[in-house]
Amino acid sequence: DGGITQSPKYLFRKEGQNVTLSCEQNLNHDAMYWYRQDPGQGLRLIYYSQIVNDFQKGDIAEGYSVSREKKESFPLTVTSAQKNPTAFYLCASTPGQGYNSPLHFGNGTRLTVT
Amino acid sequence: AQSVTQLDSQVPVFEEAPVELRCNYSSSVSVYLFWYVQYPNQGLQLLLKYLSGSTLVESINGFEAEFNKSQTSFHLRKPSVHISDTAEYFCAVSGRSYKYIFGTGTRLKVLA
């Protein structure tokens, strides 16, 4: 079955450490997205990529970095510059590069930084 | 800029009663509208979508939503809810910016 795999499901890190969240899709989708979810705030866009080797900042990109070297992979690095990294992170994708298809989501990674 | 407002953060309702979850959007361009459902510690699943055509869209599990352009709304309804419908529901809008904007979510709690 095609889908989006996010790993690990739970991640614990000490403050000051960088951490990379994995996102892999086998849907052959062109566009991929990273969202951050906090209670009561909905989903906020961190980064998105419409095509390999290209990505754009979302609304809350500060303290995060991404790469898109392969179509199926879009890892997110949470750097030590991110002031409040503890959150639930969701990766998503859509076919084509468009905006008229629904997002397909992975099951998320819950990051806790202490 | 586009935005989505879900005014109700929590909606408690008794089993077999009807429910409406409200969603209003703001956009200066044509939009596409979506409802997603999220169960605890999981990703979001598409419930239904409005892209064009009939303004009333339905899902396979009894939910429906109506696109109302004049009121810029896309409210979600179900005539009779089940315990299993307890979840968080998100309304989302997309447009030519290639971004998908989400509301803050509504927690539906179905009571026995």
Side-chain angles (χ1 to χ4, degrees):
Chain A
D1 273 345
I4 298 178
T5 301
Q6 290 188 244
S7 60
K9 189 166 179 64
Y10 298 95
L11 193 52
F12 298 88
R13 281 294 182 270
K14 295 289 187 186
E15 197 173 319
Q17 294 178 333
N18 291 354
V19 59
T20 297
L21 282 60
S22 170
C23 177
E24 302 279 332
Q25 55 102 355
N26 59 4
L27 298 165
N28 199 33
H29 285 176
D30 286 314
M32 297 186 74
Y33 301 76
W34 274 106
Y35 285 90
R36 170 181 171 139
Q37 184 177 18
D38 297 282
Q41 296 194 49
L43 278 69
R44 293 182 289 167
L45 181 63
I46 305 173
Y47 270 97
Y48 64 104
S49 167
Q50 294 172 263
I51 199 167
V52 175
N53 292 323
D54 188 40
F55 48 82
Q56 287 76 42
K57 292 182 179 180
D59 301 315
I60 57 165
E62 186 176 347
Y64 299 98
S65 66
V66 294
S67 63
R68 187 85 187 277
E69 297 175 2
K70 298 186 295 182
K71 186 176 184 178
E72 58 270 23
S73 179
F74 191 41
L76 173 74
T77 296
V78 184
T79 76
S80 56
Q82 168 50 231
K83 290 183 171 52
N84 295 298
T86 294
F88 190 50
Y89 291 87
L90 288 160
C91 180
S93 69
T94 59
Q97 300 172 20
Y99 46 86
N100 59 354
S101 298
L103 289 165
H104 295 251
F105 283 89
N107 277 328
T109 292
R110 188 168 296 280
L111 173 64
T112 302
V113 177
T114 57
Chain B
Q2 296 168 329
S3 65
V4 176
T5 301
Q6 292 182 249
L7 284 173
D8 305 308
S9 59
Q10 293 188 64
V11 173
V13 62
F14 285 104
E15 193 173 17
E16 297 183 7
V19 70
E20 178 180 84
L21 307 183
R22 296 180 293 169
C23 172
N24 289 88
Y25 69 91
S26 172
S27 176
S28 58
V29 299
S30 297
V31 297
Y32 302 97
L33 294 155
F34 308 90
W35 274 101
Y36 290 87
V37 59
Q38 185 181 35
Y39 300 99
N41 289 315
Q42 293 187 24
L44 277 68
Q45 301 171 32
L46 180 69
L47 197 57
L48 43 76
K49 62 187 177 187
Y50 171 77
L51 302 181
S52 65
S54 172
T55 57
L56 183 65
V57 290
E58 298 176 354
S59 72
I60 57 173
N61 54 357
F63 283 95
E64 65 178 32
E66 186 161 18
F67 170 57
N68 188 319
K69 189 173 182 180
S70 62
Q71 296 187 10
T72 60
S73 68
F74 191 54
H75 300 331
L76 182 69
R77 301 184 182 95
K78 189 170 186 180
S80 176
V81 295
H82 303 287
I83 295 287
S84 60
D85 292 324
T86 294
E88 189 157 21
Y89 292 80
F90 291 91
C91 182
V93 61
S94 69
R96 296 184 187 278
S97 67
Y98 297 93
K99 294 182 182 181
Y100 293 75
I101 308 299
F102 286 81
T104 51
T106 298
R107 289 187 182 276
L108 174 63
K109 173 78 171 175
V110 180
L111 308 168

